[in-house]
Amino acid sequence: MAKISVIGAGNVGATTVQRLAELELGEIVMTDIVEGLPQGKALDLMQAGAIVGYDTAIRGSNDYEDIADSDLVIITAGIARKPGMSREDLISTNTKIINEVSKNIAKYAPSSIVMNVTNPLDIITYTALKATGFEPEKVFGMSGVLDAGRFASFIAEELRCSKKDVEAMVIGGHGDLMVPLPQYTTVSGIPLTELLPEGEIARLVDRTVNGGAEIVGLLKQGSAFYAPSAAVARMAEAVLKDSKRILPASAYLEGEYEQEGIYFGVPVKLGASGVEEILELELSEEQYEILRKSAETIRKVISGLGV
């Protein structure tokens, strides 16, 4: 049976554990530095299993030793955005947190695949790579599945159709310079560009780019966790079932999309080895220009991290 460790028992972490438990993908350990928090939530989730109907073993812990022998480690630790904050505002605090987390992953779960969820996503995933010393394909970030889900939701709302029929694609940095791709977004196989005029698509793209900030502004405290945890669960299932799903993820680029040495949102093949392949899509020059600006922003931040 697979072992999954979720580091961080906040809203994203605990909801991720709930979704993974319901999928019965393996035993789960949820860790957090706050005493009693992961233990209490784990007990609550165990009791829910008797009602919902899952037999997943869930354990809460404050000790990194309990993540030993994990097949997949999911990082959700760190502070969340508050109104007015950008993902980049989180860099200093979350970089320090993820450095410590990643060193413990390397110590206790050296054979694991690592998925990072902590923001700023692409930068923190790079931090996790350097701190663990793992091979790049074993460390990736959850970003594009969430962004594509937001894009798909807005499209379905606009077209008054089922969300099940929308397949959206988003690449680029997880932030203000993400690049939704209407030409690779379809509704029951029909390209979005044949269903909506350019102006309407541009409006939906803009809402997608600001999707996280919209939720932060409404909540006043905290940030999104239902959709992020759903995205994590989809990606975790692809890894643990070795299903070779083609999904957008923050992956380490080594020349793809004219970029090298950074993490960036691109379509990948996810399986038991992590990122097993990066797929390069043909983009318009305008999309490439946004992509380059997004990559340059990430690169500038990375150069100042000292990792």
Side-chain angles (χ1 to χ4, degrees):
M1 177 179 290
K3 180 175 180 180
I4 311 160
S5 289
V6 177
I7 300 179
N11 284 338
V12 174
T15 310
T16 291
V17 172
Q18 178 186 359
R19 294 190 189 279
L20 295 175
E22 291 172 350
L23 289 170
E24 296 187 315
L25 294 173
E27 64 173 302
I28 304 171
V29 173
M30 176 168 45
T31 70
D32 199 284
I33 60 171
V34 180
E35 291 186 10
L37 180 64
Q39 292 88 344
K41 290 190 175 183
L43 183 59
D44 194 10
L45 286 163
M46 284 286 285
Q47 293 166 1
I51 301 168
V52 177
Y54 57 79
D55 289 314
T56 305
I58 307 168
R59 181 157 50 101
S61 173
N62 303 118
D63 194 337
Y64 280 112
E65 289 187 19
D66 289 327
I67 73 171
D69 302 320
S70 293
D71 296 286
L72 175 65
V73 179
I74 300 166
I75 303 173
T76 71
I79 62 170
R81 280 198 295 173
K82 299 176 182 177
M85 289 178 69
S86 70
R87 290 182 177 90
E88 283 66 36
D89 291 332
L90 305 176
I91 293 170
S92 179
T93 298
N94 283 350
T95 297
K96 293 175 184 176
I97 292 170
I98 269 52
N99 257 314
E100 179 184 354
V101 167
S102 300
K103 288 175 182 176
N104 280 288
I105 293 172
K107 181 178 180 179
Y108 295 109
S111 298
S112 63
I113 302 295
V114 178
M115 185 196 316
N116 173 56
V117 187
T118 302
N119 281 321
L121 195 287
D122 307 286
I123 293 157
I124 294 299
T125 307
Y126 180 89
T127 301
L129 173 72
K130 294 302 180 181
T132 58
F134 286 4
E135 296 174 350
E137 61 269 22
K138 292 180 63 178
V139 181
F140 61 89
M142 183 286 295
S143 55
V145 173
L146 170 61
D147 296 328
R150 287 171 172 161
F151 193 26
S153 177
F154 299 147
I155 291 167
E157 183 180 5
E158 184 70 21
L159 292 175
R160 297 183 180 179
C161 71
S162 171
K163 294 182 180 69
K164 296 176 183 178
D165 293 331
V166 184
E167 290 288 341
M169 178 58 69
V170 175
I171 65 170
H174 184 53
D176 298 339
L177 290 174
M178 73 176 73
V179 188
L181 300 179
Q183 73 269 40
Y184 294 108
T185 297
T186 62
V187 181
S188 284
I190 304 168
L192 181 63
T193 49
E194 295 186 19
L195 296 172
L196 287 174
E198 186 175 331
E200 290 299 308
I201 293 175
R203 180 174 59 81
L204 297 180
V205 166
D206 184 66
R207 191 177 180 193
T208 301
V209 169
N210 295 290
E214 182 179 358
I215 292 172
V216 170
L218 291 167
L219 291 176
K220 302 296 189 293
Q221 296 183 25
S223 56
F225 55 94
Y226 293 120
S229 64
V232 174
R234 173 175 287 188
M235 297 174 79
E237 187 174 32
V239 171
L240 295 168
K241 290 187 175 180
D242 193 25
S243 54
K244 316 296 186 186
R245 291 291 306 273
I246 305 299
L247 299 168
S250 182
Y252 189 75
L253 300 187
E254 299 179 274
E256 299 89 352
Y257 293 93
E258 303 177 358
Q259 302 300 324
E260 191 166 359
I262 63 170
Y263 271 88
F264 210 59
V266 291
V268 306
K269 182 188 291 182
L270 275 184
S273 300
V275 175
E276 299 186 352
E277 184 181 348
I278 293 174
L279 287 73
E280 288 199 68
L281 303 176
E282 185 175 335
L283 306 178
S284 69
E285 183 53 39
E286 181 182 359
Q287 288 168 338
Y288 250 119
E289 185 59 32
I290 299 172
L291 186 149
R292 293 184 193 107
K293 289 179 181 179
S294 182
E296 186 58 30
T297 299
I298 293 168
R299 188 169 280 106
K300 283 180 180 178
V301 175
I302 287 174
S303 67
L305 289 178
V307 298

